[in-house]
């Protein structure tokens, strides 16, 4: 059969036109976007590679607590997440064993188990043990990425890049997120940075109320994740309380602050009371009562804002003061106080009367100047400059950053282990000082 040249030419032209349409689908990337993406990728690669260096000594879980988290994750994968709640591990505290859910926070183990199940469904060929070894490296790399977005919101792209770079190389953070060391701080620092990022975004006035609610829910879930993972959750929770109170003192109350604060703290506490180690008894903690007091104060300002007459403003003010004073009397009558180790961080002089076990732990000791300089070096001087410029421009983000930096610096000086809590705020201030 003889082919028609005209038909062949039409088909060829059609193919050429289709190829041109495919070329038009190319993603247009500017030179700036290409450089930015390359820089972020390089920083993430540095964060990943520097944390897998212990592989030269072997690929294994390196400490007792990470191994305990692995065993909990293994039990949850084999028997279900609900079964873990009633698991009595007979390999510990012989002969009676130990009820694991009442002694350990489930956040790290359940995150390991949950993400491993996702990888298993995707047919990724890795055992749970091998995954738990690499888990802290993966979470640290993700944390550095979130750090970039937080720094970008605070001071722009340059601050975001430098913040992520400094956190990737921070010694105290590397020590708690290296290969084989998946402990509470692995999830805790990630959740603190994500909580800060989402909470501050929920306060932005240019966002819609739906967007603000969405970010508030994310920040609440991150606070709940910290409660589920780390005893030091009292710090970010307390930081939110102090920030809201300072905003009231500075006459910067807004309805968005009431929404963000109430949703974040409410959702976080809802998760906390469902953690077996905390339970409903946690609601009587002095910190929760302080959060409730600040929430009441926010509601009081909202009522005053919508009250027109002076008479009713006086009535509402008098009623609030009476209720607040009665609440203080009840709180002190109950003798509510912080857990001993947290009280020792706030007041270091209490350690002279602390029990011998607490005093014998090296990471509970006050931090030496050399340790701080080892972690941050010349960045200390740039951080002071960054703190100065943050104070000169008191936006919501900068006020939160100042409170975060000053309080975490005090606590890090009081206890060596808490240097890791200082790291995110210090890295951002360092980046701002360079900027």
């Amino acid at each position: 059969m003889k082919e028609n040249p005209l038909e062949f030419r039409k088909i060829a032209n059609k193919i050429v036109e289709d190829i041109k349409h495919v070329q038009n689908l190319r993603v247009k990337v500017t030179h700036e976007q290409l450089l930015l993406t390359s820089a972020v990728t390089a920083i993430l690669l540095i964060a990943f590679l520097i944390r897998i260096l212990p592989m030269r000594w072997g690929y294994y879980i390196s400490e007792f607590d990470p191994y305990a988290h692995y065993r909990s994750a293994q039990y949850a994968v084999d028997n279900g997440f609900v079964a873990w709640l009633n698991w009595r591990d007979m390999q510990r505290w012989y002969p009676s064993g130990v009820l694991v859910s009442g002694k350990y926070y489930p956040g790290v183990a359940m995150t390991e188990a949950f993400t491993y199940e996702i990888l298993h469904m995707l047919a990724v060929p890795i055992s749970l043990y091998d995954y738990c070894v690499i888990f802290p490296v993966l979470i640290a790399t993700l944390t550095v990425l979130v750090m970039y977005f937080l720094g970008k919101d605070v001071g722009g792209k340059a601050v975001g890049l430098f913040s992520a770079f400094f956190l990737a190389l921070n010694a105290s953070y590397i020590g708690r997120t290296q290969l084989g060391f998946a402990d509470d701080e692995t999830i805790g620092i990630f959740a603190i940075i994500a909580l800060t990022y989402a909470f501050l975004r929920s306060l932005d006035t240019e966002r819609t109320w739906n967007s603000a609610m969405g970010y508030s829910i994310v920040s609440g879930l991150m606070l709940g994740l910290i409660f589920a993972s780390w005893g030091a959750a009292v710090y970010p929770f307390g930081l939110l309380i102090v920030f809201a109170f300072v905003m009231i003192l500075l006459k910067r109350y807004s309805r968005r602050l009431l929404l963000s604060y109430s949703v974040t703290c409410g959702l976080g506490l809802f998760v906390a009371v469902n953690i077996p180690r905390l339970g409903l008894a946690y609601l009587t903690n002095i910190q929760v009562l302080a959060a409730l007091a600040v929430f009441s104060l926010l509601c009081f300002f909202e009522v005053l804002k919508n009250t027109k007459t002076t008479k009713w403003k006086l009535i509402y003010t008098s009623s609030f003061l009476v209720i607040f004073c009665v609440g203080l009397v009840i709180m002190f009558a109950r003798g509510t106080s912080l857990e001993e180790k947290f009280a020792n961080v706030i007041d270091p002089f209490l350690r002279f009367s602390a029990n011998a076990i607490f005093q014998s732990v090296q990471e509970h000791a006050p931090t030496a100047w050399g340790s701080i300089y080892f972690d941050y070096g010349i960045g200390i001087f740039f951080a002071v400059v960054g703190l100065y410029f943050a104070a000169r421009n008191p936006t919501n983000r900068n006020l939160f950053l100042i409170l975060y930096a000053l309080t975490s610096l005090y606590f890090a000086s009081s206890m060596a282990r808490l240097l890791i809590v200082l790291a995110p705020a210090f890295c951002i201030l360092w980046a701002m000082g360079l900027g």
Side-chain angles (χ1 to χ4, degrees):
M1 183 177 178
K2 190 175 181 181
E3 294 183 0
N4 189 344
L6 185 60
E7 289 294 329
F8 179 78
R9 188 176 300 169
K10 287 182 179 179
I11 295 173
N13 290 336
K14 184 67 169 60
I15 294 174
V16 171
E17 290 297 325
D18 291 340
I19 292 175
K20 289 181 179 180
H21 286 307
V22 171
Q23 290 178 340
N24 292 333
L25 295 176
R26 289 182 303 174
V27 178
K28 295 181 179 179
V29 180
T30 63
H31 185 66
E32 181 186 0
Q33 290 173 332
L34 183 61
L35 285 176
L36 183 63
T37 304
S38 301
V40 173
T41 304
I43 292 171
L44 296 180
L45 191 60
I46 291 171
F48 181 86
L49 292 177
I50 201 169
R51 285 166 174 78
I52 64 171
L53 288 178
M55 191 182 294
R56 53 187 164 176
W57 294 295
Y59 191 88
Y60 54 84
I61 295 174
S62 58
E63 297 288 345
F64 172 78
D65 285 342
Y67 192 82
H69 292 310
Y70 157 69
R71 292 194 68 244
S72 291
Q74 184 69 65
Y75 191 88
V77 169
D78 293 341
N79 302 279
F81 292 91
V82 177
W84 179 86
L85 296 173
N86 301 312
W87 176 36
R88 182 170 289 276
D89 188 2
M90 302 307 296
Q91 294 186 17
R92 281 178 277 189
W93 298 106
Y94 178 85
S96 60
V98 60
L99 183 63
V100 177
S101 61
K103 186 173 179 60
Y104 291 94
Y105 290 103
V108 176
M110 295 304 106
T111 304
E112 289 174 336
F114 179 74
T115 51
Y116 173 75
E117 290 285 15
I118 294 176
L119 294 177
H120 185 69
M121 287 189 295
L122 296 175
V124 177
I126 188 173
S127 67
L128 179 61
Y129 181 88
D130 290 341
Y131 176 65
C132 289
V133 174
I134 197 71
F135 178 78
V137 181
L138 299 176
I139 295 298
T141 305
L142 179 61
T143 304
V144 170
L145 179 61
V146 179
M147 187 66 173
Y148 161 73
F149 289 112
L150 175 59
K152 179 183 174 184
D153 274 3
V154 172
K157 295 175 182 177
V159 173
L161 286 173
F162 279 117
S163 301
F165 179 69
F166 294 145
L167 185 65
L169 297 177
N170 181 259
S172 58
Y173 188 53
I174 291 174
R176 292 285 177 170
T177 54
Q178 61 184 322
L179 188 78
F181 196 93
D183 205 359
D184 301 342
E185 297 90 344
T186 303
I187 296 294
I189 297 301
F190 163 76
I192 287 176
I193 296 174
L195 161 68
T196 303
Y197 172 74
F199 179 75
L200 293 177
R201 280 208 154 201
S202 69
L203 297 178
D204 290 342
T205 54
E206 66 270 13
R207 300 189 186 280
T208 64
W209 283 99
N210 288 338
S211 177
M213 176 61 77
Y215 279 113
S216 299
I217 291 173
V218 172
S219 62
L221 292 175
M222 289 298 105
L223 181 60
L225 181 59
I226 305 173
F227 274 122
S229 306
W230 198 10
V234 295
Y235 174 71
F237 185 40
L239 183 59
L240 290 175
I241 298 171
V242 172
F243 173 74
F245 186 67
V246 169
M247 291 286 281
I248 293 172
L249 293 180
L250 296 177
K251 299 181 180 180
R252 302 182 69 162
Y253 165 79
S254 66
R255 191 169 295 175
R256 285 181 182 269
L257 178 62
L258 174 60
L259 170 72
S260 302
Y261 178 83
S262 57
V263 172
T264 300
C265 294
L267 194 53
L269 288 175
F270 174 77
V271 175
V273 298
N274 285 281
I275 303 301
R277 183 170 174 176
L278 300 177
L280 288 172
Y282 189 75
L283 294 180
T284 61
N285 186 290
I286 188 173
Q287 200 175 21
V288 177
L289 298 178
L292 183 60
V294 172
F295 172 71
S296 302
L297 197 57
L298 290 171
C299 292
F300 170 68
F301 272 85
E302 180 62 26
V303 171
L304 282 187
K305 190 176 180 180
N306 292 280
T307 303
K308 305 299 181 183
T309 62
T310 305
K311 173 186 174 182
W312 281 105
K313 285 185 178 181
L314 291 174
I315 293 174
Y316 290 144
T317 303
S318 303
S319 302
F320 176 79
L321 289 175
V322 170
I323 295 172
F324 185 76
C325 292
V326 170
L328 284 178
V329 171
I330 294 174
M331 184 177 71
F332 285 111
R334 288 176 57 89
T336 306
S337 61
L338 279 174
E339 192 177 333
E340 182 184 11
K341 65 179 179 180
F342 300 126
N344 288 333
V345 173
I346 295 174
D347 184 1
F349 294 102
L350 291 175
R351 296 179 193 181
F352 294 114
S353 58
N355 64 69
I357 295 178
F358 180 88
Q359 295 186 41
S360 67
V361 179
Q362 181 61 34
E363 64 183 19
H364 291 167
T367 306
W369 158 251
S371 298
I372 298 177
Y373 187 78
F374 176 78
D375 270 15
Y376 303 109
I378 198 173
I380 295 172
F381 304 102
F382 285 103
V384 173
V385 176
L387 187 65
Y388 167 75
F389 282 107
R392 283 193 60 184
N393 182 27
T395 62
N396 290 342
R397 286 183 172 82
N398 285 345
L399 283 174
F400 191 94
L401 180 60
I402 291 170
L403 290 173
Y404 184 5
L406 295 179
T407 54
S408 61
L409 177 61
Y410 174 79
F411 295 142
S413 302
S414 179
M415 182 180 287
R417 181 184 180 183
L418 297 182
L419 274 172
I420 192 173
V421 177
L422 171 64
F426 196 98
C427 291
I428 295 180
L429 287 176
W430 186 354
M432 288 179 68
L434 282 178

